[in-house]
């Protein structure tokens, strides 16, 4: 029996294109679900920090942060955010940069590893991204993260203990080290079966095409 296609996704929950890429990947999988021989897929999320030097409590707007971090004029940043908001809408996502609370994401990544250990990584990734981009929740504070963990069915006390002790920080760093080895310099980045790399928030139909191609290669009988 053929194993599932393994998709390893390097992303940051504070990356707008990562949420779009996540949704488009899901759309690509859905598009193949009615195929006579539908690809079977298993997804694992890995940590990547776009701005590891960001303070937990950033005093300013997303425009303020990007203007400073990227050295861009504020009006240009505003246009960039308007564009990504429109692209997000096309993927069925609602971005609210006016209420977004920019923060350091390392704790959110630790929580994703905690969730993975308890079989809830996919639910946690979705909840974190929605909380950040749509609801304006502070995903850098332990209290807020614990509340979000509880919402997806994780034990709040266990989540708090894991975050306070930095139990999963080594796993975050291991993901980041692997990204360096792969030469990943931007996210989202998708590694398929450990040998194919797909960069960026590709359209859903592009993901569907890749999945069908890889599945055909994996299920093709070996030559005698």
């Amino acid at each position: 029996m053929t194993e599932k296609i393994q998709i390893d996704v390097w992303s940051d929950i504070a990356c707008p294109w990562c949420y779009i890429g996540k949704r488009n990947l899901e759309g690509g999988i859905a598009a193949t679900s009615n195929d006579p021989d539908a690809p079977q897929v298993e997804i694992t999320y890995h940590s990547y920090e776009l701005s590891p030097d960001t303070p937990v409590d950033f005093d300013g707007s997303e425009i303020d942060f990007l203007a400073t971090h990227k050295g861009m004029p504020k009006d240009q940043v505003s246009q960039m955010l308007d564009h990504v908001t429109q692209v997000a809408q096309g993927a069925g996502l609602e971005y609210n940069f006016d209420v977004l609370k920019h923060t350091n994401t390392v704790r959110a990544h630790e929580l994703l590893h905690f969730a993975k250990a308890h079989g809830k990584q996919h639910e946690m990734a979705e909840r974190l991204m929605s909380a950040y981009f749509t609801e304006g929740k502070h995903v850098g504070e332990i209290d807020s993260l614990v509340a979000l963990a509880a919402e997806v069915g994780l034990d709040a006390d266990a989540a708090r203990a894991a975050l306070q002790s930095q139990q999963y920080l080594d796993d975050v760093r291991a993901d980041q080290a692997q990204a360096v080895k792969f030469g990943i310099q931007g996210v989202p980045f998708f590694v398929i079966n450990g040998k194919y790399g797909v960069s960026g928030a590709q359209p859903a139909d592009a993901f569907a095409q890749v999945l069908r191609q890889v599945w055909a290669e994996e299920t093709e009988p070996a030559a005698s």
Side-chain angles (χ1 to χ4, degrees), residues 139-199:
V139 300
E141 296 176 338
I142 289 180
D143 286 349
S144 180
L145 291 170
V146 169
L148 293 172
E151 287 183 25
V152 301
L154 292 166
D155 183 89
D157 291 338
R160 183 179 299 278
L163 291 172
Q164 289 177 337
S165 67
Q166 297 184 315
Q167 180 181 354
Y168 293 93
L169 182 59
D170 286 347
D171 295 292
V172 174
R173 299 306 181 216
D175 277 353
Q176 294 168 331
Q178 186 62 59
V180 172
K181 290 180 181 178
F182 280 151
I184 298 172
Q185 297 181 334
V187 288
F189 195 91
F190 306 82
V191 177
I192 302 174
N193 278 359
K195 55 185 178 181
Y196 302 107
V198 177
S199 179

Short mmCIF file of all heavy atoms in Angstrom, two decimals, residues 139-199:
data_model
loop_
_atom_site.label_atom_id
_atom_site.label_comp_id
_atom_site.label_asym_id
_atom_site.label_seq_id
_atom_site.Cartn_x
_atom_site.Cartn_y
_atom_site.Cartn_z
N VAL A 139 -1.06 37.25 20.07
CA VAL A 139 -0.60 35.85 20.08
C VAL A 139 0.84 35.73 20.57
O VAL A 139 1.49 34.70 20.36
CB VAL A 139 -0.74 35.21 18.68
CG1 VAL A 139 -2.18 35.20 18.23
CG2 VAL A 139 0.14 35.92 17.66
N GLY A 140 1.32 36.77 21.26
CA GLY A 140 2.64 36.70 21.85
C GLY A 140 2.59 36.49 23.36
O GLY A 140 3.58 36.11 23.98
N GLU A 141 1.43 36.71 23.95
CA GLU A 141 1.26 36.59 25.39
C GLU A 141 0.82 35.17 25.77
O GLU A 141 -0.03 34.58 25.11
CB GLU A 141 0.21 37.59 25.89
CG GLU A 141 0.59 39.05 25.70
CD GLU A 141 -0.53 39.97 26.12
OE1 GLU A 141 -1.69 39.51 26.15
OE2 GLU A 141 -0.24 41.14 26.41
N ILE A 142 1.37 34.66 26.85
CA ILE A 142 1.05 33.31 27.27
C ILE A 142 -0.44 33.15 27.58
O ILE A 142 -1.07 32.17 27.17
CB ILE A 142 1.91 32.89 28.49
CG1 ILE A 142 3.37 32.67 28.04
CG2 ILE A 142 1.36 31.62 29.14
CD1 ILE A 142 4.32 32.26 29.16
N ASP A 143 -1.03 34.12 28.28
CA ASP A 143 -2.45 34.01 28.63
C ASP A 143 -3.32 33.87 27.39
O ASP A 143 -4.25 33.05 27.35
CB ASP A 143 -2.90 35.22 29.45
CG ASP A 143 -2.39 35.19 30.88
OD1 ASP A 143 -1.86 34.14 31.31
OD2 ASP A 143 -2.51 36.23 31.57
N SER A 144 -3.04 34.68 26.39
CA SER A 144 -3.82 34.64 25.16
C SER A 144 -3.62 33.31 24.43
O SER A 144 -4.58 32.71 23.93
CB SER A 144 -3.42 35.80 24.24
OG SER A 144 -4.17 35.78 23.04
N LEU A 145 -2.39 32.83 24.40
CA LEU A 145 -2.10 31.57 23.73
C LEU A 145 -2.77 30.40 24.43
O LEU A 145 -3.29 29.48 23.78
CB LEU A 145 -0.59 31.35 23.65
CG LEU A 145 0.17 32.29 22.72
CD1 LEU A 145 1.68 32.14 22.91
CD2 LEU A 145 -0.20 32.03 21.26
N VAL A 146 -2.76 30.42 25.74
CA VAL A 146 -3.42 29.35 26.51
C VAL A 146 -4.91 29.33 26.21
O VAL A 146 -5.52 28.26 26.04
CB VAL A 146 -3.15 29.52 28.02
CG1 VAL A 146 -4.04 28.59 28.84
CG2 VAL A 146 -1.68 29.25 28.33
N ALA A 147 -5.52 30.50 26.14
CA ALA A 147 -6.95 30.58 25.83
C ALA A 147 -7.24 30.00 24.44
O ALA A 147 -8.22 29.27 24.25
CB ALA A 147 -7.42 32.02 25.92
N LEU A 148 -6.39 30.31 23.47
CA LEU A 148 -6.58 29.78 22.12
C LEU A 148 -6.38 28.27 22.10
O LEU A 148 -7.09 27.55 21.38
CB LEU A 148 -5.61 30.46 21.16
CG LEU A 148 -5.85 31.95 20.90
CD1 LEU A 148 -4.72 32.54 20.08
CD2 LEU A 148 -7.19 32.18 20.21
N ALA A 149 -5.41 27.79 22.87
CA ALA A 149 -5.18 26.34 22.96
C ALA A 149 -6.41 25.63 23.50
O ALA A 149 -6.83 24.58 22.99
CB ALA A 149 -3.97 26.06 23.84
N ALA A 150 -7.02 26.21 24.52
CA ALA A 150 -8.22 25.61 25.11
C ALA A 150 -9.36 25.58 24.10
O ALA A 150 -10.16 24.63 24.08
CB ALA A 150 -8.63 26.39 26.35
N GLU A 151 -9.42 26.59 23.23
CA GLU A 151 -10.50 26.66 22.24
C GLU A 151 -10.46 25.50 21.26
O GLU A 151 -11.49 25.09 20.73
CB GLU A 151 -10.45 27.99 21.49
CG GLU A 151 -10.91 29.18 22.30
CD GLU A 151 -10.92 30.46 21.49
OE1 GLU A 151 -11.04 30.37 20.24
OE2 GLU A 151 -10.81 31.55 22.08
N VAL A 152 -9.26 24.97 20.98
CA VAL A 152 -9.16 23.85 20.04
C VAL A 152 -9.14 22.50 20.76
O VAL A 152 -8.88 21.46 20.15
CB VAL A 152 -7.93 23.98 19.11
CG1 VAL A 152 -7.99 25.27 18.33
CG2 VAL A 152 -6.62 23.86 19.88
N GLY A 153 -9.39 22.53 22.07
CA GLY A 153 -9.51 21.28 22.81
C GLY A 153 -8.26 20.81 23.52
O GLY A 153 -8.21 19.66 23.99
N LEU A 154 -7.26 21.66 23.63
CA LEU A 154 -6.04 21.30 24.36
C LEU A 154 -6.19 21.65 25.83
O LEU A 154 -6.95 22.56 26.20
CB LEU A 154 -4.83 22.02 23.76
CG LEU A 154 -4.45 21.58 22.34
CD1 LEU A 154 -3.48 22.57 21.71
CD2 LEU A 154 -3.82 20.18 22.38
N ASP A 155 -5.46 20.96 26.67
CA ASP A 155 -5.50 21.21 28.10
C ASP A 155 -4.81 22.53 28.42
O ASP A 155 -3.63 22.70 28.14
CB ASP A 155 -4.82 20.06 28.85
CG ASP A 155 -4.91 20.23 30.36
OD1 ASP A 155 -5.90 19.77 30.95
OD2 ASP A 155 -3.98 20.84 30.93
N ALA A 156 -5.54 23.45 29.02
CA ALA A 156 -5.02 24.79 29.27
C ALA A 156 -3.84 24.77 30.23
O ALA A 156 -2.83 25.46 30.01
CB ALA A 156 -6.13 25.69 29.80
N ASP A 157 -3.93 24.00 31.30
CA ASP A 157 -2.86 23.96 32.29
C ASP A 157 -1.59 23.36 31.69
O ASP A 157 -0.48 23.85 31.95
CB ASP A 157 -3.29 23.15 33.52
CG ASP A 157 -4.37 23.85 34.33
OD1 ASP A 157 -4.48 25.09 34.22
OD2 ASP A 157 -5.10 23.16 35.07
N ALA A 158 -1.75 22.33 30.89
CA ALA A 158 -0.59 21.71 30.25
C ALA A 158 0.05 22.65 29.24
O ALA A 158 1.28 22.72 29.12
CB ALA A 158 -0.99 20.40 29.57
N ALA A 159 -0.79 23.38 28.51
CA ALA A 159 -0.27 24.35 27.54
C ALA A 159 0.50 25.45 28.25
O ALA A 159 1.60 25.84 27.82
CB ALA A 159 -1.42 24.94 26.72
N ARG A 160 -0.04 25.95 29.35
CA ARG A 160 0.64 27.01 30.10
C ARG A 160 1.99 26.51 30.64
O ARG A 160 3.00 27.20 30.54
CB ARG A 160 -0.24 27.47 31.25
CG ARG A 160 0.37 28.64 32.05
CD ARG A 160 -0.55 29.09 33.17
NE ARG A 160 -1.84 29.55 32.66
CZ ARG A 160 -2.04 30.77 32.19
NH1 ARG A 160 -1.05 31.66 32.16
NH2 ARG A 160 -3.24 31.13 31.76
N ALA A 161 2.00 25.31 31.18
CA ALA A 161 3.24 24.75 31.72
C ALA A 161 4.29 24.59 30.62
O ALA A 161 5.47 24.89 30.83
CB ALA A 161 2.96 23.41 32.39
N ALA A 162 3.85 24.15 29.44
CA ALA A 162 4.79 23.96 28.33
C ALA A 162 5.37 25.29 27.88
O ALA A 162 6.57 25.39 27.58
CB ALA A 162 4.08 23.27 27.17
N LEU A 163 4.53 26.32 27.82
CA LEU A 163 5.01 27.63 27.39
C LEU A 163 5.92 28.28 28.44
O LEU A 163 6.96 28.86 28.11
CB LEU A 163 3.82 28.55 27.09
CG LEU A 163 2.99 28.17 25.86
CD1 LEU A 163 1.74 29.03 25.77
CD2 LEU A 163 3.81 28.30 24.58
N GLN A 164 5.54 28.17 29.70
CA GLN A 164 6.35 28.78 30.75
C GLN A 164 7.72 28.12 30.88
O GLN A 164 8.70 28.80 31.19
CB GLN A 164 5.59 28.72 32.08
CG GLN A 164 4.39 29.66 32.14
CD GLN A 164 3.60 29.54 33.42
OE1 GLN A 164 3.65 28.51 34.12
NE2 GLN A 164 2.85 30.58 33.77
N SER A 165 7.78 26.82 30.64
CA SER A 165 9.05 26.09 30.75
C SER A 165 9.84 26.07 29.45
O SER A 165 10.96 25.56 29.42
CB SER A 165 8.77 24.65 31.19
OG SER A 165 8.09 23.94 30.16
N GLN A 166 9.24 26.61 28.39
CA GLN A 166 9.84 26.58 27.04
C GLN A 166 10.17 25.14 26.63
O GLN A 166 11.19 24.86 26.01
CB GLN A 166 11.11 27.45 26.98
CG GLN A 166 10.84 28.93 27.24
CD GLN A 166 12.08 29.78 27.09
OE1 GLN A 166 13.16 29.43 27.57
NE2 GLN A 166 11.94 30.91 26.41
N GLN A 167 9.25 24.25 26.94
CA GLN A 167 9.46 22.82 26.70
C GLN A 167 9.73 22.50 25.23
O GLN A 167 10.48 21.57 24.92
CB GLN A 167 8.22 22.04 27.17
CG GLN A 167 8.29 20.54 26.98
CD GLN A 167 7.03 19.84 27.45
OE1 GLN A 167 6.14 20.47 28.04
NE2 GLN A 167 6.94 18.54 27.21
N TYR A 168 9.12 23.27 24.34
CA TYR A 168 9.23 22.96 22.91
C TYR A 168 10.11 23.94 22.15
O TYR A 168 10.13 23.92 20.91
CB TYR A 168 7.83 22.89 22.29
CG TYR A 168 7.02 21.72 22.81
CD1 TYR A 168 6.17 21.87 23.89
CD2 TYR A 168 7.16 20.46 22.24
CE1 TYR A 168 5.45 20.79 24.39
CE2 TYR A 168 6.45 19.38 22.72
CZ TYR A 168 5.60 19.54 23.81
OH TYR A 168 4.89 18.47 24.29
N LEU A 169 10.85 24.77 22.85
CA LEU A 169 11.71 25.74 22.17
C LEU A 169 12.78 25.05 21.33
O LEU A 169 13.08 25.50 20.22
CB LEU A 169 12.37 26.68 23.19
CG LEU A 169 13.26 27.77 22.60
CD1 LEU A 169 12.48 28.67 21.64
CD2 LEU A 169 13.88 28.62 23.72
N ASP A 170 13.32 23.94 21.82
CA ASP A 170 14.33 23.22 21.05
C ASP A 170 13.75 22.70 19.73
O ASP A 170 14.45 22.65 18.71
CB ASP A 170 14.90 22.04 21.86
CG ASP A 170 15.85 22.50 22.96
OD1 ASP A 170 16.26 23.67 22.95
OD2 ASP A 170 16.18 21.67 23.83
N ASP A 171 12.48 22.33 19.73
CA ASP A 171 11.84 21.86 18.50
C ASP A 171 11.67 23.00 17.50
O ASP A 171 11.83 22.81 16.29
CB ASP A 171 10.48 21.25 18.82
CG ASP A 171 10.59 20.00 19.67
OD1 ASP A 171 11.10 18.99 19.17
OD2 ASP A 171 10.17 20.05 20.84
N VAL A 172 11.37 24.19 18.02
CA VAL A 172 11.29 25.37 17.16
C VAL A 172 12.64 25.63 16.51
O VAL A 172 12.73 25.85 15.30
CB VAL A 172 10.84 26.60 17.97
CG1 VAL A 172 10.90 27.86 17.10
CG2 VAL A 172 9.43 26.41 18.51
N ARG A 173 13.69 25.59 17.32
CA ARG A 173 15.04 25.85 16.80
C ARG A 173 15.47 24.77 15.81
O ARG A 173 16.18 25.06 14.83
CB ARG A 173 16.03 25.95 17.95
CG ARG A 173 15.74 27.07 18.96
CD ARG A 173 15.62 28.41 18.30
NE ARG A 173 15.38 29.49 19.25
CZ ARG A 173 14.61 30.54 19.02
NH1 ARG A 173 13.99 30.66 17.84
NH2 ARG A 173 14.46 31.49 19.93
N ALA A 174 15.06 23.53 16.04
CA ALA A 174 15.39 22.45 15.11
C ALA A 174 14.73 22.68 13.76
O ALA A 174 15.35 22.46 12.70
CB ALA A 174 14.97 21.11 15.69
N ASP A 175 13.48 23.13 13.77
CA ASP A 175 12.80 23.46 12.51
C ASP A 175 13.54 24.56 11.77
O ASP A 175 13.72 24.51 10.54
CB ASP A 175 11.38 23.95 12.80
CG ASP A 175 10.38 22.81 12.98
OD1 ASP A 175 10.76 21.65 12.76
OD2 ASP A 175 9.23 23.10 13.34
N GLN A 176 13.97 25.57 12.51
CA GLN A 176 14.67 26.70 11.89
C GLN A 176 16.02 26.27 11.32
O GLN A 176 16.42 26.72 10.24
CB GLN A 176 14.83 27.82 12.91
CG GLN A 176 13.49 28.43 13.32
CD GLN A 176 13.58 29.34 14.53
OE1 GLN A 176 14.44 29.15 15.39
NE2 GLN A 176 12.69 30.32 14.61
N ALA A 177 16.69 25.38 12.03
CA ALA A 177 17.97 24.86 11.53
C ALA A 177 17.77 24.05 10.25
O ALA A 177 18.58 24.12 9.32
CB ALA A 177 18.64 24.02 12.61
N GLN A 178 16.68 23.29 10.20
CA GLN A 178 16.39 22.50 9.00
C GLN A 178 16.07 23.42 7.83
O GLN A 178 16.45 23.14 6.68
CB GLN A 178 15.22 21.56 9.25
CG GLN A 178 14.93 20.60 8.11
CD GLN A 178 16.07 19.66 7.82
OE1 GLN A 178 16.48 18.90 8.69
NE2 GLN A 178 16.62 19.72 6.61
N ALA A 179 15.41 24.51 8.10
CA ALA A 179 15.11 25.48 7.04
C ALA A 179 16.40 26.02 6.44
O ALA A 179 16.51 26.20 5.22
CB ALA A 179 14.25 26.62 7.58
N VAL A 180 17.38 26.28 7.29
CA VAL A 180 18.68 26.76 6.81
C VAL A 180 19.34 25.70 5.93
O VAL A 180 19.88 26.00 4.86
CB VAL A 180 19.59 27.13 8.00
CG1 VAL A 180 21.01 27.44 7.50
CG2 VAL A 180 19.03 28.32 8.76
N LYS A 181 19.28 24.44 6.35
CA LYS A 181 19.87 23.36 5.58
C LYS A 181 19.21 23.22 4.21
O LYS A 181 19.87 22.92 3.21
CB LYS A 181 19.77 22.04 6.34
CG LYS A 181 20.66 21.95 7.57
CD LYS A 181 20.50 20.61 8.27
CE LYS A 181 21.37 20.52 9.51
NZ LYS A 181 21.18 19.22 10.23
N PHE A 182 17.91 23.44 4.16
CA PHE A 182 17.18 23.36 2.90
C PHE A 182 17.38 24.61 2.04
O PHE A 182 16.97 24.64 0.88
CB PHE A 182 15.68 23.17 3.15
CG PHE A 182 15.27 21.76 3.48
CD1 PHE A 182 14.17 21.52 4.29
CD2 PHE A 182 15.96 20.67 2.98
CE1 PHE A 182 13.77 20.23 4.59
CE2 PHE A 182 15.58 19.37 3.27
CZ PHE A 182 14.48 19.15 4.08
N GLY A 183 17.96 25.64 2.62
CA GLY A 183 18.14 26.89 1.89
C GLY A 183 16.88 27.73 1.81
O GLY A 183 16.74 28.57 0.92
N ILE A 184 15.96 27.51 2.72
CA ILE A 184 14.71 28.27 2.73
C ILE A 184 14.98 29.69 3.22
O ILE A 184 15.48 29.89 4.32
CB ILE A 184 13.66 27.59 3.63
CG1 ILE A 184 13.33 26.20 3.10
CG2 ILE A 184 12.40 28.45 3.73
CD1 ILE A 184 12.45 25.37 4.03
N GLN A 185 14.63 30.67 2.40
CA GLN A 185 14.88 32.07 2.75
C GLN A 185 13.59 32.89 2.81
O GLN A 185 13.62 34.08 3.09
CB GLN A 185 15.85 32.69 1.75
CG GLN A 185 17.22 32.04 1.78
CD GLN A 185 18.20 32.67 0.80
OE1 GLN A 185 17.79 33.26 -0.20
NE2 GLN A 185 19.47 32.58 1.10
N GLY A 186 12.48 32.24 2.56
CA GLY A 186 11.19 32.91 2.63
C GLY A 186 10.09 31.88 2.78
O GLY A 186 10.26 30.71 2.42
N VAL A 187 8.98 32.32 3.34
CA VAL A 187 7.86 31.41 3.57
C VAL A 187 6.57 32.03 3.03
O VAL A 187 6.49 33.24 2.87
CB VAL A 187 7.71 31.09 5.08
CG1 VAL A 187 8.83 30.18 5.53
CG2 VAL A 187 7.67 32.35 5.94
N PRO A 188 5.59 31.16 2.70
CA PRO A 188 5.55 29.73 2.97
C PRO A 188 6.45 28.94 2.01
O PRO A 188 6.66 29.34 0.86
CB PRO A 188 4.08 29.37 2.73
CG PRO A 188 3.63 30.35 1.69
CD PRO A 188 4.33 31.63 2.06
N PHE A 189 6.94 27.83 2.52
CA PHE A 189 7.75 26.93 1.70
C PHE A 189 7.28 25.51 1.98
O PHE A 189 7.20 25.09 3.13
CB PHE A 189 9.24 27.07 2.01
CG PHE A 189 10.12 26.44 0.96
CD1 PHE A 189 10.59 27.18 -0.11
CD2 PHE A 189 10.48 25.10 1.04
CE1 PHE A 189 11.39 26.61 -1.09
CE2 PHE A 189 11.28 24.51 0.07
CZ PHE A 189 11.74 25.27 -0.99
N PHE A 190 6.98 24.79 0.92
CA PHE A 190 6.40 23.45 1.03
C PHE A 190 7.41 22.42 0.50
O PHE A 190 7.88 22.53 -0.63
CB PHE A 190 5.11 23.36 0.21
CG PHE A 190 4.10 24.42 0.54
CD1 PHE A 190 4.21 25.70 -0.03
CD2 PHE A 190 3.06 24.18 1.41
CE1 PHE A 190 3.27 26.69 0.26
CE2 PHE A 190 2.14 25.17 1.72
CZ PHE A 190 2.24 26.43 1.14
N VAL A 191 7.72 21.44 1.32
CA VAL A 191 8.60 20.35 0.91
C VAL A 191 7.75 19.09 0.79
O VAL A 191 7.12 18.66 1.76
CB VAL A 191 9.75 20.13 1.91
CG1 VAL A 191 10.61 18.93 1.49
CG2 VAL A 191 10.60 21.39 2.03
N ILE A 192 7.70 18.54 -0.42
CA ILE A 192 6.82 17.41 -0.70
C ILE A 192 7.64 16.13 -0.83
O ILE A 192 8.54 16.03 -1.66
CB ILE A 192 6.01 17.67 -1.98
CG1 ILE A 192 5.20 18.97 -1.84
CG2 ILE A 192 5.10 16.49 -2.30
CD1 ILE A 192 4.47 19.39 -3.08
N ASN A 193 7.31 15.19 0.04
CA ASN A 193 8.02 13.90 0.10
C ASN A 193 9.52 14.06 0.23
O ASN A 193 10.30 13.23 -0.24
CB ASN A 193 7.68 13.04 -1.13
CG ASN A 193 6.36 12.31 -0.97
OD1 ASN A 193 5.70 12.43 0.06
ND2 ASN A 193 5.95 11.57 -1.98
N GLY A 194 9.93 15.16 0.84
CA GLY A 194 11.34 15.36 1.12
C GLY A 194 12.20 15.65 -0.09
O GLY A 194 13.43 15.76 0.03
N LYS A 195 11.57 15.82 -1.27
CA LYS A 195 12.40 16.00 -2.47
C LYS A 195 11.92 17.09 -3.42
O LYS A 195 12.68 17.53 -4.30
CB LYS A 195 12.53 14.67 -3.23
CG LYS A 195 11.21 14.03 -3.62
CD LYS A 195 11.46 12.66 -4.26
CE LYS A 195 10.16 11.95 -4.61
NZ LYS A 195 10.42 10.61 -5.22
N TYR A 196 10.69 17.53 -3.28
CA TYR A 196 10.19 18.61 -4.13
C TYR A 196 9.92 19.85 -3.29
O TYR A 196 9.27 19.75 -2.24
CB TYR A 196 8.89 18.21 -4.85
CG TYR A 196 9.01 16.98 -5.71
CD1 TYR A 196 8.45 15.77 -5.31
CD2 TYR A 196 9.68 17.02 -6.92
CE1 TYR A 196 8.55 14.63 -6.10
CE2 TYR A 196 9.80 15.89 -7.72
CZ TYR A 196 9.23 14.70 -7.30
OH TYR A 196 9.34 13.58 -8.09
N GLY A 197 10.40 20.99 -3.73
CA GLY A 197 10.17 22.23 -3.01
C GLY A 197 9.23 23.14 -3.79
O GLY A 197 9.40 23.34 -5.00
N VAL A 198 8.23 23.67 -3.10
CA VAL A 198 7.30 24.63 -3.70
C VAL A 198 7.34 25.89 -2.85
O VAL A 198 7.07 25.85 -1.65
CB VAL A 198 5.86 24.08 -3.75
CG1 VAL A 198 4.92 25.13 -4.32
CG2 VAL A 198 5.80 22.80 -4.58
N SER A 199 7.68 27.00 -3.47
CA SER A 199 7.85 28.26 -2.74
C SER A 199 6.67 29.19 -2.99
O SER A 199 6.20 29.33 -4.13
CB SER A 199 9.15 28.95 -3.17
OG SER A 199 9.32 30.18 -2.50
#
